[in-house]
């Protein structure tokens, strides 16, 4: 019994250490906000706020091949698939410039940026709260190093109400629908970039 307790404590400490190391190399914090309520089958607009640490940047969803572009998907669980019928991601205007690390033009974000998710809800949703989850995957770089891609989950609750009025969906000027370019093989994209690992 004593030996099992020691093993359990050691495993917990290792897990906590790995989690801390993972957070140490995560340079983007994410937050999702949704309308307070919506009717079944309605279209709602989600705001995915990404805050990038100072002196770091992340890449757009449409950056040319070179760095690893950001992707934003939904949770693929059965519960998630029962809520969202389809969605479209729109990204704010990125900074486009030549990056000598990749010897190519890249599109990046710094500071706090808001991505928009136009979400079509399932028509057969029952009244009550539902959870919508998005899964961003992204690479961050500084002026001297790049971090391998990180994946996070970010969720928010939406109240399904049959009598909820339809919200007007407006995409601000300058936002573009995220349609990533075809990527090159990962090895080729990372060959010229010094990587920091966990």
């Amino acid at each position: 019994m004593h030996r099992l307790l020691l093993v359990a404590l050691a495993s917990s400490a290792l897990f906590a250490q790995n989690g801390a190391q993972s957070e140490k190399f995560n340079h983007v914090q994410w937050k999702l906000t949704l309308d307070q309520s919506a009717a079944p089958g309605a279209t709602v607009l989600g705001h995915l706020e990404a805050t990038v640490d100072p002196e770091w940047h992340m890449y757009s969803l449409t950056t040319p091949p070179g760095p690893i572009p950001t992707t934003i998907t939904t949770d693929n669980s059965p519960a998630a698939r029962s809520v969202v019928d389809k969605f479209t991601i729109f990204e704010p205007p990125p900074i486009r410039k030549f990056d000598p690390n990749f010897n190519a033009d890249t599109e990046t974000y710094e500071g706090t940026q808001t991505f928009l998710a136009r979400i079509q809800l399932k028509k057969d949703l029952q009244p009550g709260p539902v959870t919508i989850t998005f899964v961003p995957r992204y690479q961050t770089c500084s002026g001297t190093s790049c971090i391998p891609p990180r994946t996070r989950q970010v969720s928010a609750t939406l109240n399904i109400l049959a009598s909820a009025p339809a919200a007007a969906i407006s995409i601000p000027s300058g936002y573009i629908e995220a349609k990533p370019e075809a990527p090159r093989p990962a090895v080729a994209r990372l060959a010229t970039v010094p990587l920091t690992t966990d």
Side-chain angles (χ1 to χ4, degrees), residues 41-152:
T43 300
V44 297
L45 193 64
H47 293 75
L48 277 154
E49 185 180 274
T51 301
V52 185
D53 287 349
E55 300 182 9
W56 290 83
H57 57 264
M58 63 181 260
Y59 295 93
S60 75
L61 285 77
T62 51
T63 193
I68 296 174
T70 297
T71 58
I72 300 174
T73 60
T74 54
D75 178 14
N76 200 33
S77 68
R81 291 199 302 270
S82 71
V83 174
V84 175
D85 186 27
K86 59 185 177 179
F87 71 95
T88 305
I89 300 293
F90 296 87
E91 62 179 354
I95 301 167
R96 187 174 180 119
K97 62 182 179 181
F98 181 78
D99 187 334
N101 288 325
F102 295 101
N103 196 33
D105 286 341
T106 61
E107 295 179 351
T108 61
Y109 294 110
E110 300 173 358
T112 299
Q113 303 290 335
T114 301
F115 299 85
L116 301 176
R118 188 174 61 198
I119 306 162
Q120 180 73 47
L121 300 174
K122 295 278 191 179
K123 294 180 179 179
D124 58 355
L125 290 176
Q126 299 301 308
V130 295
T131 299
I132 294 178
T133 300
F134 283 97
V135 183
R137 181 178 185 269
Y138 50 93
Q139 180 182 28
T140 53
C141 293
S142 68
T144 58
S145 63
C146 290
I147 304 296
R150 291 287 178 266
T151 301
R152 291 292 181 269

Side-chain angles (χ1 to χ4, degrees), residues 3-27:
R3 182 178 299 177
L4 287 176
L5 182 59
L6 287 176
V7 170
L9 288 173
S11 298
S12 297
L14 182 60
F15 179 80
Q17 182 181 13
N18 287 341
Q21 284 287 78
S22 178
E23 281 307 308
K24 176 182 176 183
F25 292 107
N26 176 44
H27 295 288

Side-chain angles (χ1 to χ4, degrees), residues 173-197:
S173 175
Y175 273 72
I176 60 169
E177 182 177 343
K179 294 181 178 179
E181 295 186 21
R184 292 185 293 189
V187 172
R189 285 161 40 198
L190 294 176
T192 60
V193 182
L195 295 181
T196 303
T197 63

